[in-house]
Amino acid sequence: MNEKTQTEPGSKASALAVASGILASRLVGLVRERVFAHYFGNSDAADAFRAAFRIPNFLQNLFGEGVLSASFIPVYARLNAEKRHEEASQLAEAIFALLFLVTSLLVVLGVFATPWMLYVIAPGFHGEKRLLTIHLVQILFPGAALLVLSAWCLGVLNSHRRFLLSYTAPVIWNVVMIITMVCGGHQPQSRLAVLIAIASVVGSGLQFLVQLPTVLKYLWPLRFEIPRAAEHVRVVAKNFFPVLLSRGVVQISAFIDSSLASLLGQGAVSALGYAQTLYTLPVSLFGMAVSAAELPTMSSALGTQDEIAASLRQRLTVGLQQIAYFVVPSAAAFVLLGDVIVALIYRTGHFQHADVIFVWGVLAGSAVGLLASTSGRLYSSAFYALRNTRTPLKFAMIRVGLTLALGYLFALPLPRLLGIDQHWGAAGLTLSAGIAGWVEFTLLRHALHGRIGVVPFAGQRLAKLWLAAVLAAVVGYGVKLILPLHSSLLIGPCVLIPFGLLYLGITHALGIPMPGTLSRLFRRRA
């Protein structure tokens, strides 16, 4: 095996590398979403594709990045920190072999079981819409297996602090789908949906292959000898199944949202998908970036229990401050400037003003739990670093129970009680998920404090961030009202750029410095 000694970058630099990679892939992803909105809008074909993508995506999320990060990285990173490189390689190779076998079996079963699965996932789909969804699911399933293997690459690369490549790799997946939509845009919507499903599988394979050469530098020559790594595989498996169940119950919650949305009329499923793409942008950029960068470092911490606890408290304090600095203005923008954001990204072709307002409502609902979701990721990472996967599972199950109960009430009975159109229940789904997210975050925080001690809560700092974000958003809303423009491509930058700059200025005036990596970036530009 080729072993390389490299200096570990600081956690802030690592978070910046993760955020840069995610930003690149998400920006291209937004281009993909705009092209998708142009050709599909909120049509039946859009609903079918969104629902179809959720089913194989369940496999990816179960066995993919989140679960592997929580179960594999702590063990693999600890072995490397202890200079046991040969054992680390044996573990990585064994995990790859097991993932390949399990996902291959599940793909075969999933393809044959798709018609029955759809009765649960999208009970509101009938006729041609249902048949199209089944066909799309069966095409997409193999791509999900490839994305799981891509997540294995990410786990290896992250453990070696090679963040940028692993988080930039999805760019190629997005590009393949964009090219397919542009070239096949003259096709009927149902036919075009089939073409981009095929493109998704091709892009998934390329996403895996582009990471593989760098991974092999750490693992070559490959020797898939599971027995030699049996001890460490058992540790990963012990951590894996609680996290698998945790992710599973969360994914079941997402399936229930999609199932309920399928009962709300045409466009509800696709609107939920459009809003979630925007909602997950700050979650990925800030929550995932900080959590992914901290997990290998927290997992590699050595010393006494008190020393490890002190290190975790310090990293959590800094990480939570970084997350809040960026997520608070994101939430404020989703509520007050959501129509500008949605129109900037999606308004084109079949996606018109009524669609903008609908998706804005769904997006505003998601803003309620945005800070809780992103901060909760970091707390979960701390538990995973301590090799405690059961506590996050327990709280995830509570969150899912609340999401299901509140989601049903907010999506179906509440619109009727308020006398509004039933399809606005989609906004109730995101609102209920946000409330449940705060409950989960509170439980995670309390439990972790009992394990490592109290992580200071900077309440005054958080209040200043909200004040700055709301003031900046109100000014941005005023700019939107007075602008003599009609093009969303012009209005968006004219509103959002001043909003961002004003937020930076107000926080600076209130004595809240920018996170170190961003501050250094501005100084370099200056």
Side-chain angles (χ1 to χ4, degrees):
M1 181 190 69
N2 293 335
E3 297 175 8
K4 292 189 176 183
T5 303
Q6 55 187 30
T7 303
E8 292 185 11
S11 60
K12 292 182 180 179
S14 298
L16 181 60
V18 176
S20 299
I22 292 175
L23 179 61
S25 64
R26 292 293 180 177
L27 288 177
V28 180
L30 290 178
V31 174
R32 184 203 73 222
E33 288 292 293
R34 181 174 177 84
V35 176
F36 184 91
H38 177 84
Y39 290 112
F40 289 96
N42 272 329
S43 63
D44 280 342
D47 281 347
F49 187 85
R50 296 289 190 187
F53 198 79
R54 280 188 179 277
I55 298 176
N57 198 42
F58 180 64
L59 175 62
Q60 176 197 348
N61 287 328
L62 276 185
F63 292 92
E65 177 188 332
V67 177
L68 281 177
S69 295
S71 58
F72 168 64
I73 289 180
V75 181
Y76 183 76
R78 177 63 66 89
L79 289 173
N80 277 312
E82 295 172 349
K83 309 300 181 184
R84 298 160 68 182
H85 301 297
E86 185 69 24
E87 294 176 66
S89 294
Q90 291 171 3
L91 171 64
E93 293 156 6
I95 293 299
F96 178 87
L98 291 172
L99 283 175
F100 182 82
L101 292 173
V102 172
T103 55
S104 298
L105 177 61
L106 290 177
V107 165
V108 173
L109 293 175
V111 168
F112 284 102
T114 296
W116 293 274
M117 294 168 62
L118 210 65
Y119 284 118
V120 178
I121 304 307
F125 288 5
H126 304 285
E128 293 296 324
K129 188 173 183 177
R130 171 181 164 79
L131 293 176
L132 175 60
T133 307
I134 291 173
H135 187 39
L136 294 174
V137 171
Q138 292 172 332
I139 294 172
L140 287 166
F141 248 118
L146 290 169
L147 289 176
V148 171
L149 299 182
S150 177
W152 170 81
C153 291
L154 180 144
V156 174
L157 294 175
N158 281 11
S159 297
H160 291 279
R161 313 304 194 267
R162 298 294 296 270
F163 296 103
L164 189 59
L165 173 60
S166 55
Y167 284 101
T168 309
V171 168
I172 194 168
W173 176 75
N174 287 306
V175 168
V176 171
M177 294 183 69
I178 292 170
I179 293 173
T180 301
M181 283 188 281
V182 172
C183 294
H186 61 283
Q187 300 277 353
Q189 287 184 334
S190 58
R191 174 60 180 166
L192 182 58
V194 172
L195 290 177
I196 60 174
I198 296 171
S200 175
V201 177
V202 174
S204 300
L206 293 175
Q207 180 178 328
F208 168 63
L209 292 175
V210 77
Q211 299 176 80
L212 192 58
T214 305
V215 171
L216 292 180
K217 292 181 181 179
Y218 298 102
L219 303 179
W220 190 260
L222 293 176
R223 294 153 299 178
F224 299 116
E225 301 174 359
I226 297 177
R228 295 185 64 183
E231 177 185 350
H232 302 304
V233 170
R234 280 195 294 269
V235 176
V236 172
K238 181 180 177 181
N239 296 335
F240 183 88
F241 286 103
V243 183
L244 179 71
L245 293 174
S246 177
R247 291 295 296 241
V249 294
V250 172
Q251 288 303 307
I252 289 171
S253 175
F255 276 128
I256 295 296
D257 284 349
S258 180
S259 179
L260 290 172
S262 74
L263 301 172
L264 301 177
Q266 178 180 327
V269 174
S270 57
L272 195 63
Y274 287 127
Q276 286 176 342
T277 297
L278 296 176
Y279 163 76
T280 55
L281 184 60
V283 173
S284 300
L285 276 176
F286 311 123
M288 185 185 296
V290 175
S291 301
E294 290 291 352
L295 179 58
T297 305
M298 289 191 293
S299 301
S300 302
L302 303 175
T304 66
Q305 288 187 348
D306 289 341
E307 290 171 340
I308 293 174
S311 175
L312 288 178
R313 289 197 301 270
Q314 189 271 334
R315 292 191 175 280
L316 282 168
T317 299
V318 175
L320 290 170
Q321 289 180 356
Q322 285 185 296
I323 288 172
Y325 188 89
F326 295 107
V327 170
V328 166
S330 300
F334 284 170
V335 174
L336 296 176
L337 304 175
D339 58 334
V340 176
I341 297 171
V342 173
L344 175 64
I345 303 301
Y346 295 127
R347 186 166 185 181
T348 177
H350 291 278
F351 199 100
Q352 294 301 308
H353 180 69
D355 302 308
V356 169
I357 300 302
F358 184 25
V359 175
W360 178 19
V362 180
L363 183 63
S366 70
V368 171
L370 189 59
L371 183 59
S373 297
T374 48
S375 301
R377 280 179 175 267
L378 188 58
Y379 274 97
S380 294
S381 292
F383 275 111
Y384 298 148
L386 294 169
R387 301 191 183 184
N388 179 348
T389 55
R390 297 184 182 276
T391 299
L393 167 61
K394 179 173 64 175
F395 297 149
M397 294 178 69
I398 294 173
R399 171 189 170 187
V400 168
L402 281 173
T403 300
L404 300 184
L406 295 176
Y408 174 81
L409 292 174
F410 289 8
L412 296 174
L414 187 60
R416 290 194 293 267
L417 290 174
L418 296 177
I420 60 177
D421 193 294
Q422 187 68 62
H423 80 299
W424 283 104
L429 293 173
T430 55
L431 177 60
S432 64
I435 295 172
W438 276 109
V439 173
E440 181 190 32
F441 168 75
T442 303
L443 293 172
L444 283 168
R445 179 180 172 85
H446 178 75
L448 189 63
H449 287 184
R451 180 76 179 268
I452 66 170
V454 176
V455 178
F457 172 69
Q460 185 177 14
R461 181 180 185 276
L462 190 60
K464 290 180 179 179
L465 291 177
W466 278 112
L467 175 63
V470 172
L471 288 176
V474 169
V475 172
Y477 188 83
V479 171
K480 180 191 71 172
L481 294 179
I482 65 175
L483 279 176
L485 301 172
H486 300 286
S487 170
S488 58
L489 291 177
L490 295 176
I491 294 175
C494 291
V495 171
L496 298 177
I497 291 176
F499 161 73
L501 294 175
L502 187 58
Y503 173 75
L504 294 176
I506 295 175
T507 53
H508 180 73
L510 292 174
I512 302 176
M514 288 183 290
T517 47
L518 184 62
S519 179
R520 288 193 294 272
L521 180 62
F522 271 81
R523 286 199 296 269
R524 289 194 197 104
R525 296 299 182 190

